[in-house]
Structures are given as C-alpha cells and as structure tokens.
C-alpha cells in the first residue's frame, strides 16, 4: 500500500460511483473549508449542511430533552430517543451516543437523524450527549462531560424508564474517541457495558499512520482539517494522554465488546484497525467492518450513500444482539 499522498484523481477512483458523485457535487459548490473559517462560522456552516444527506427523520414514540450536571457545576444538554412511550413494557436498554465533529463542531441536531435511526432499528433507547466543544472548552472537558453523562445515566436510568443494567456507548469520529474512552472508564468503575459502537474513531496520538499520509488530501476530512480540529482541542504536550488517544492506553483488558465500523477512504482507517487489533489482543470480542469506497463522515449521508445505510443496520443488529433484543 502506498505511503505517499494519493492525488485527487486517484482518491476519486477509489470511491463508489455514488460517493464520487457526492464529492464532486460538494467540490462544485466551492464552499470554504471549515479550517479557513473562524470557529463560529465553521459551526454555522456545519450546521447548515447537517441533515441534507440523511434519510427523512423517522418518527419515534418518545423524544425528550434532558439536562445533565457535570463535575464543574455546569449542565450540558442531551436528548433521549425511545421507540415506545415511558411506562409501556419493560425498561429499555440504552445506547449513550457522542456525536462527531472534531471536538469543535456538531451538536444534538447534526446527529439527530442518525440517533433516531439507531433507536428505531435497534429497538433500544438512545441518549445523545451535547458535550462541550473546543476551543472554549479544551481537553479534557469533553472527556469529563462524557464520563459524567454516563455516570448520570446509570443513576437516573430507572426514573427515565431505561434499563441501567443494559448499557452501551457509541459515537462517530471524535465521538467514537469519547465512546472508546468511556468504555475504559466504565471498566475502571466496575460498570459493565454490553457494547461499544465506534464509527471511524480517532484513537492514535499523532497523525502518523500510513492512511494519514495516503489520504492526506481526502475529501470531507483531510490533514489540514484534522490539524485545525486538534489545534482547537488539545495542547501538543497532552496528545499522548490515553483519554485523547485510546490506542496508547496501557490496559484495555476487560472493556466492553466492540463493534467498529470504518470507512475505507479515510485518514483514520488505520488507527481504527489498530484499535480493533489492540482490543483483540486483550481478549475483547471485536466485530470490525470496513465499508469500501466511502469516506469519513459517511454515517450522516444515509440518503445518498448505501454503505451508510448498511453500517446503520449493522450497528443496530450488533446492539440488538448485545442487548438480547429481537
């Protein structure tokens, strides 16, 4: 495999026809790259395109706004999705979900459809967490928020009609990092999790894998944007901290089983594979899927990209199996 950057045309050649057409459409629109904008404008631009490529939002019996207290006295928002009303039937198992966006952009609204789909297809509840973003809140605030949210959910599950004994964590990209780290935290506090669902998670301390070089100019997530995200989020001296880079964690023995879904044409693909290997070497059951011919961020493109719909179905099945649901 090449360890030199692929050209734009070489990358396009690797994509499925639908993914290639979408990338070319985005390029023709000539929108400014996020990393060239002030943070507030980058967030607004991200919000503006979120949902455009998703399937229509499926209806759910219950969608509820929540507030979660954090260790520093603040509160963060969250949103509960459930396929049936509270009090109807047995308490629902629940996936706590952390959205992607490089720790800098994204929110509950940008990942609303994905969380709805996962709830409908898994027959489980989903709690999506609006953790605080950089640069206003730099590392490790997002990590602390994710841990505080998980601890809160365990305490409050019964009152919300949820089953605190059947929990999973999940996320995409930066949210996948938070989910992987939350799974280690759960192990450390003696909280059993049924599953960790990781869509193309960031796991390594530095951008030094072959896929970071090979796909340095990849569409939707290139090295310039990754560097900008990390500049907002973390000081260089902290990048070897396992809470940023779970691949350098000294010990992942006994963490929850993992379902990991990766995009083939993605700078992060190698570190996702490496983290799957690390878990397997520690005896953790892992199911790894690599979706061919698609890029990073494909999980919020389910109307346009068949592989995104397949990944959603695969993750939902893994959740159903882990929770013991039909």
């Amino acid at each position: 495999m090449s360890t030199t950057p692929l050209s734009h045309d070489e990358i396009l050649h690797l994509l499925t026809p639908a993914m290639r057409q979408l990338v070319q459409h985005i390029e023709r629109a000539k929108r400014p790259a996020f990393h060239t904008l002030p943070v507030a404008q980058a967030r607004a631009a991200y919000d503006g395109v979120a949902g455009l490529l998703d399937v229509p939002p499926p209806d759910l019996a219950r969608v509820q706004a929540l507030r979660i207290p954090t260790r520093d006295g603040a509160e963060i928002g969250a949103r509960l999705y459930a396929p049936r009303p509270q009090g109807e039937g047995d308490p629902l198992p629940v996936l706590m979900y952390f959205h992607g966006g490089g720790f800098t952009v994204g929110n509950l609204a940008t990942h609303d459809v994905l969380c709805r789909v996962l709830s409908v297809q898994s027959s489980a509840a989903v709690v999506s967490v609006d953790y605080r973003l950089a640069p206003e809140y730099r590392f490790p605030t997002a990590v602390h928020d994710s841990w505080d949210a998980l601890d809160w959910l365990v305490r409050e599950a019964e009152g919300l009609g949820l089953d605190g004994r059947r929990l999973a964590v999940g996320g995409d990209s930066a949210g996948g990092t938070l989910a992987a780290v939350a799974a280690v935290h759960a192990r450390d506090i003696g909280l059993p999790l049924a599953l960790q669902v990781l869509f193309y998670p960031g796991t390594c301390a530095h951008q030094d894998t072959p896929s970071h070089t090979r796909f340095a100019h990849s569409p939707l997530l290139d090295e310039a944007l990754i560097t900008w995200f990390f500049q907002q989020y973390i000081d260089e001296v902290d990048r070897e901290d396992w809470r940023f880079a779970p691949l350098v964690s000294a010990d992942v023995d006994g963490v929850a089983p993992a379902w990991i879904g990766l995009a083939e044409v993605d700078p992060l693909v190698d570190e996702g594979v490496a983290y799957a290997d690390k878990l397997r070497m520690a005896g953790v059951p892992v199911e790894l899927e690599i979706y061919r011919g698609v890029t990073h961020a494909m999980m919020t493109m389910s109307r346009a990209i068949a592989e995104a719909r397949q990944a959603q179905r695969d993750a939902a099945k893994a959740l159903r199996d882990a929770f013991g649901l039909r």
Side-chain angles (χ1 to χ4, degrees):
M1 180 176 289
S2 171
T3 55
T4 59
L6 294 180
S7 70
H8 176 268
D9 287 346
E10 287 172 325
I11 290 174
L12 287 181
H13 183 72
L14 296 175
L15 302 179
T16 67
M19 188 81 244
R20 186 183 311 118
Q21 183 179 30
L22 175 59
V23 167
Q24 291 172 331
H25 176 78
I26 291 170
E27 290 173 347
R28 286 194 297 269
K30 297 187 181 301
R31 293 187 177 93
F34 291 153
H35 68 271
T36 67
L37 299 172
V39 170
Q41 292 182 26
R43 288 177 183 157
Y46 187 76
D47 293 354
V49 299
L52 293 179
L53 298 174
D54 277 320
V55 296
D59 290 331
L60 284 161
R62 183 181 176 198
V63 178
Q64 179 180 345
L66 304 172
R67 301 296 295 176
I68 299 176
T70 65
R71 66 189 64 192
D72 61 6
E75 284 191 342
I76 57 175
R79 188 177 292 166
L80 168 62
Y81 303 88
R84 63 172 187 256
Q86 186 171 358
E88 182 179 296
D90 294 332
L92 286 166
V94 57
L95 165 70
M96 175 156 274
Y97 195 85
F98 306 108
H99 67 78
F103 306 101
T104 306
V105 303
N107 51 53
L108 299 180
T110 61
H111 286 65
D112 176 75
V113 172
L114 175 57
C115 289
R116 286 173 180 266
V117 169
L118 291 175
S119 179
V120 168
Q121 293 189 358
S122 69
S123 300
V126 175
V127 172
S128 180
V129 178
D130 206 14
Y131 58 90
R132 288 173 285 182
L133 298 177
E136 296 90 340
Y137 299 96
R138 291 172 64 82
F139 175 84
T141 302
V143 174
H144 289 164
D145 285 355
S146 65
W147 291 3
D148 293 346
L150 184 59
D151 296 347
W152 175 89
L153 182 59
V154 173
R155 296 193 306 270
E156 301 296 328
E158 183 177 0
L160 293 168
L162 306 175
D163 187 348
R165 298 164 300 177
R166 289 189 293 169
L167 300 175
V169 294
D172 59 292
S173 193
T177 307
L178 294 175
V181 170
V184 178
H185 167 70
R187 187 274 316 270
D188 290 346
I189 64 173
L191 172 64
L193 296 178
L195 191 67
Q196 49 181 319
V197 175
L198 310 179
F199 297 118
Y200 35 79
T203 67
C204 66
H206 303 283
Q207 293 135 253
D208 55 4
T209 66
S211 64
H212 273 282
T213 300
R214 180 173 168 82
F215 301 123
H217 307 303
S218 64
L220 306 181
L221 184 72
D222 60 14
E223 284 303 318
L225 181 55
I226 296 170
T227 297
W228 183 77
F229 280 145
F230 290 165
Q231 286 172 344
Q232 309 309 310
Y233 179 58
I234 192 165
D235 294 335
E236 192 67 26
V237 69
D238 291 326
R239 287 184 64 146
E240 294 286 341
D241 191 312
W242 71 271
R243 296 171 298 171
F244 169 72
L247 192 56
V248 305
S249 174
D251 174 19
V252 293
D253 293 9
V255 303
W259 181 93
I260 301 175
L262 307 177
E264 180 188 26
V265 187
D266 182 353
L268 274 57
V269 64
D270 283 354
E271 60 198 85
V273 172
Y275 196 61
D277 290 344
K278 181 182 182 74
L279 293 174
R280 286 173 174 147
M281 289 292 290
V284 176
V286 175
E287 183 177 355
L288 173 65
E289 299 287 347
I290 301 177
Y291 297 92
R292 302 297 176 181
V294 293
T295 70
H296 196 86
M298 59 110 174
M299 291 307 299
T300 52
M301 303 174 182
S302 53
R303 179 169 57 85
I305 304 302
E307 289 76 11
R309 299 190 294 275
Q310 184 61 55
Q312 291 169 355
R313 290 191 294 268
D314 293 343
K317 181 183 184 301
L319 285 165
R320 289 197 308 272
D321 292 346
F323 289 145
L325 299 171
R326 287 187 174 184

